[in-house]
Amino acid sequence: MALLPDVHYQFATYFDSSHKLSPYLYTLSRRINEGHICIDIREPLPQQTLDAFQLGRQPALTDHQLIGSPEDLVHPFILDNDLLYTQRLYKYETHIAGYIKQAATAKSRDIDMIKAGEWLERYFPGTGSTGPDWQQIAAASALLHNFTIITGGPGTGKTTTVAKILSILWHLQPSCNIALAAPTGKAAARMAESLHLSGGTRTPELTEKFRQLPSGTIHRLLGTLHNSIYFRYNRSNPLPYDVIVIDECSMIDIALFSKLLSAIPPHCKLILLGDKNQLASVEAGSLFGDICNTLPRQNQFTPSFIDNVTTLSPQQGLLLAARTTTAPHLLTDHIITLEKSHRFSDDLGIGLISKAVIENDTEVLNFFCDMRGNDAVQIDFEYNEAIFRQFIQQFSAYIFDAAGKRQDILPALQAFHHCRVLSAVKQQEAGIYNLNLKIELYLHQRGWINMYDPYYDYRPIMVTRNNYTLGLHNGDTGILKKDPADGVTYAYFLVRDDNGTEQVKKVLPGLIAAYETCYAMTIHKSQGSEFNNVLMILPPNEDSQILSRELIYTGITRAREHVLIQAARSVFMEGCSRKVVRYSGLPGRLQ
């Protein structure tokens, strides 16, 4: 029986059977599948491509009727500055670049600088530091501009900063209409909850405004249309908001980002939040990282911006004087990196190793490997089963209380979030499916659960599909447990009421439709979550294509207190040496 050619070969030869253009289309299709937006035709084609078309050498790419230019977009492929795109992705990238250029240069609505300065000083009273208060600088940028990016690692205060920004905006303009969104429902719910609890002392009126803030997925913000790739809100029908805040922006792909920007009205402030070092979106593009990395140096500012900051906060303006740039970029003043972590020290433990991972600092990484970690970081090169079992023993804390009695559902939900096992993959021995079975077997053998009952008491589950009717989002975690009052098994989820008090919501499992066991979860799925203790398990094969410093950094920084890494030393070091590079023309178009 003959095997069909792979889908990329079929795609390429559908458009061109002459093998003059098809090798480039084959490579383009493969690269898009890997998350790239385009390919650089100046680079040699991969040997895999040459083999697929039985070519001894790379054909020259000459003018072709299927290839258009930036001035001629009626063709299925576009060539711009030696970058080859599909027409669709080129149009998305063009629109994103156009919006950013327009928003970064547009004049923001005038604000009362005296009142804004007073509120800025009230919400950011100073930390006694000898350096700039980057949270206050980010707030000043958001007040002065219509387009602001606030990036920083875990614990740097992105959400706290935005809570204070929104408070100031409401003080300056009480009728200001604000919306929150994120790529996933779970991330949106966490942001809304965090904003409700952050930002310092508030008046009852301000507290009510935060409580009523609309939040949801970007898809829901834009208004999904049934059986359509288009949205209710778009360029012709813009969103009805004055300020829009988007969290976890590293997870947004190029198509969704373009459609979001299309719906932003000209007067609207757009504030983007995220960690530029985290994993990029599953689909094509690493837009947030591309935009942040267009600046040659972070936190350098123009004299005019420093003058405005000085008007708002004389002390911060003085501290920024040493950060003046002599070569401003389009996005200078618009991207603020929060440099100080309030959770980790840069010189110790999780803070030190996460920084070393993202910078591939081999000296520090080898130090951790030689020492097998320290108090906050432990590294196990042998995948020691006893160490694994010692870690998963922690799951007993969500089943039993300190006296050995079985937990009621509220403390069980609270305790379950204390630890988690993370894996880079779903399949294989080190994948989440096998790990969840191993953990279930361990707990079952001790009589703590009955793994052969699919609805066993204390089964932890993760929702894998949004259900707006039930108020559940993809990524929400809960616990199955029989209600002693009626003998019915429910899925219980931890929620907060309007006062921030933790409450329990119960739902019949059959109504959820899609969920899975979640003692272990993928690193991708863990984005936006935090746990006291994390066990991160990497595949034993260093050739695994999924390994990257961004993946390892994301896994490590999910831990608040302690991270255990099970990985061969060569796998860990090889993963840290790999940086995810996704081809895009966006950085060049923003110069």
Side-chain angles (χ1 to χ4, degrees):
M1 182 176 68
L3 293 176
L4 289 173
D6 68 54
V7 66
H8 308 294
Y9 185 91
Q10 294 180 50
F11 171 83
T13 54
Y14 171 80
F15 287 101
D16 171 51
S17 59
S18 70
H19 293 184
K20 293 179 180 177
L21 176 61
S22 52
Y24 291 92
L25 301 186
Y26 176 86
T27 303
L28 177 61
S29 180
R30 290 188 67 89
R31 291 291 185 261
I32 292 172
N33 190 58
E34 294 166 359
H36 301 269
I37 293 173
C38 56
I39 62 170
D40 189 332
I41 65 169
R42 295 166 296 188
E43 294 195 352
L45 290 174
Q47 188 61 45
Q48 182 180 19
T49 299
L50 299 180
D51 293 343
F53 291 90
Q54 300 179 348
L55 298 172
R57 60 186 178 85
Q58 180 167 332
L61 183 59
T62 56
D63 291 342
H64 197 286
Q65 61 183 359
L66 293 177
I67 299 179
S69 66
E71 295 77 31
D72 183 15
L73 298 178
V74 297
H75 303 271
F77 304 98
I78 304 297
L79 186 63
D80 184 7
N81 288 323
D82 293 317
L83 298 179
L84 182 65
Y85 302 76
T86 62
Q87 181 205 73
R88 181 177 69 96
L89 293 185
Y90 184 78
K91 285 185 172 180
Y92 286 150
E93 187 183 274
T94 300
H95 177 255
I96 292 168
Y99 171 86
I100 293 173
K101 287 179 179 179
Q102 181 275 326
T105 55
K107 189 177 186 302
S108 179
R109 284 185 176 180
D110 291 333
I111 61 171
D112 186 324
M113 295 289 282
I114 295 176
K115 287 185 178 180
E118 290 173 353
W119 286 114
L120 201 64
E121 292 294 307
R122 185 176 302 183
Y123 277 96
F124 300 92
T127 60
S129 171
T130 56
D133 180 346
W134 295 115
Q135 294 186 13
Q136 188 173 357
I137 302 304
S141 179
L143 293 175
L144 294 167
H145 301 133
N146 274 357
F147 181 73
T148 302
I149 290 177
I150 303 174
T151 183
T156 52
K158 297 183 291 293
T159 305
T160 299
T161 303
V162 167
K164 294 179 180 181
I165 290 170
L166 300 188
S167 297
I168 294 170
L169 288 171
W170 269 319
H171 284 302
L172 296 174
Q173 185 185 350
S175 62
C176 189
N177 198 9
I178 300 172
L180 314 174
T184 67
K186 174 187 169 186
R190 284 191 72 253
M191 175 171 61
E193 177 184 305
S194 297
L195 287 175
H196 184 57
L197 299 174
S198 301
T201 305
R202 296 179 181 142
T203 63
E205 293 78 13
L206 211 53
T207 299
E208 181 63 17
K209 284 180 180 291
F210 272 94
R211 189 186 69 80
Q212 294 182 1
L213 265 177
S215 66
T217 64
I218 298 173
H219 287 82
R220 198 172 193 190
L221 173 74
L222 295 176
T224 304
L225 299 176
H226 186 60
N227 290 333
S228 174
I229 63 171
Y230 302 105
F231 292 97
R232 175 187 173 196
Y233 292 104
N234 49 50
R235 193 191 307 270
S236 303
N237 181 35
L239 288 159
Y241 298 106
D242 302 306
V243 179
I244 295 175
V245 180
I246 308 294
D247 197 11
E248 296 292 349
C249 289
S250 63
M251 299 167 65
I252 308 176
D253 64 74
I254 186 171
L256 185 58
F257 199 41
S258 175
K259 292 173 183 178
L260 169 67
L261 298 184
S262 292
I264 305 292
H267 72 275
C268 181
K269 284 185 183 293
L270 178 63
I271 302 173
L272 304 180
L273 308 177
D275 183 347
K276 63 185 176 66
N277 294 321
Q278 271 195 35
L279 286 165
S281 65
V282 175
E283 303 298 331
S286 53
L287 281 303
F288 190 71
D290 285 347
I291 296 168
C292 291
N293 292 325
T294 56
L295 296 182
R297 294 184 64 188
Q298 300 294 314
N299 290 346
Q300 299 286 306
F301 305 99
T302 63
S304 61
F305 177 75
I306 294 175
D307 288 344
N308 283 327
V309 171
T310 303
T311 302
L312 293 171
S313 173
Q315 180 188 13
Q316 292 303 316
L318 185 64
L319 292 172
L320 280 190
R323 298 277 188 149
T324 305
T325 179
T326 56
H329 179 277
L330 172 71
L331 293 177
T332 300
D333 307 336
H334 295 268
I335 301 175
I336 312 297
T337 301
L338 303 184
E339 298 182 358
K340 179 177 174 55
S341 174
H342 301 277
R343 185 180 308 158
F344 308 127
S345 166
D346 286 343
D347 304 319
L348 297 169
I350 294 173
L352 180 59
I353 193 173
S354 61
K355 183 180 179 182
V357 167
I358 210 64
E359 295 177 356
N360 190 29
D361 186 334
T362 55
E363 182 179 351
V364 174
L365 293 173
N366 277 312
F367 166 78
F368 273 98
C369 289
D370 292 342
M371 299 294 292
R372 299 293 184 108
N374 59 20
D375 291 341
V377 180
Q378 181 183 359
I379 304 178
D380 168 31
F381 298 134
E382 290 80 28
Y383 297 88
N384 188 296
E385 191 68 20
I387 293 176
F388 175 80
R389 290 179 178 177
Q390 183 180 18
F391 183 89
I392 64 175
Q393 173 77 21
Q394 296 179 70
F395 284 116
S396 65
Y398 91 95
I399 300 175
F400 301 101
D401 63 18
K405 295 177 59 179
R406 289 192 171 255
Q407 295 269 33
D408 291 334
I409 192 61
L410 178 58
L413 286 165
Q414 293 168 332
F416 181 67
H417 292 287
H418 289 177
C419 68
R420 196 73 85 248
V421 177
L422 303 182
S423 172
V425 294
K426 291 184 176 181
Q427 309 292 343
Q428 307 173 15
E429 184 178 354
I432 61 167
Y433 298 138
N434 183 60
L435 292 171
N436 275 313
L437 282 174
K438 281 183 67 175
I439 296 167
E440 283 185 314
L441 182 60
Y442 177 87
L443 302 179
H444 175 82
Q445 289 173 339
R446 279 147 188 78
W448 299 345
I449 65 169
N450 176 15
M451 65 180 291
Y452 300 116
D453 178 357
Y455 299 102
Y456 66 77
D457 277 359
Y458 299 100
R459 178 187 171 189
I461 62 169
M462 174 187 290
V463 177
T464 57
R465 189 184 308 158
N466 290 333
N467 188 320
Y468 295 116
T469 303
L470 298 176
L472 296 176
H473 306 104
N474 184 0
D476 283 349
T477 55
I479 292 174
L480 300 185
K481 191 174 183 298
K482 187 175 293 184
D483 186 341
D486 58 14
V488 176
T489 295
Y490 293 95
Y492 295 88
F493 297 87
L494 200 60
V495 296
R496 291 184 184 271
D497 64 17
D498 294 342
N499 298 316
T501 305
E502 290 183 327
Q503 303 283 345
V504 173
K505 174 168 71 175
K506 67 179 184 179
V507 178
L508 287 170
L511 299 178
I512 301 175
Y515 60 87
E516 60 188 20
T517 305
C518 66
Y519 297 104
M521 60 197 297
T522 63
I523 297 172
H524 277 86
K525 205 75 171 179
S526 73
Q527 289 188 92
S529 298
E530 296 169 352
F531 313 99
N532 289 356
N533 303 313
V534 165
L535 164 57
M536 180 174 67
I537 303 177
L538 301 182
N541 184 357
E542 63 193 61
D543 294 329
S544 177
Q545 293 301 306
I546 198 169
L547 288 177
S548 70
R549 66 182 68 167
E550 291 83 1
L551 180 92
I552 296 172
Y553 168 88
T554 302
I556 289 173
T557 54
R558 297 312 90 201
R560 296 191 194 97
E561 299 174 3
H562 184 271
V563 60
L564 165 62
I565 302 168
Q566 287 195 315
R569 182 168 184 158
S570 60
V571 169
F572 178 70
M573 295 300 291
E574 175 65 22
C576 293
S577 73
R578 295 183 192 168
K579 181 174 176 59
V580 173
V581 177
R582 291 185 170 182
Y583 276 110
S584 161
L586 188 60
R589 299 170 84 171
L590 293 178
Q591 294 301 323

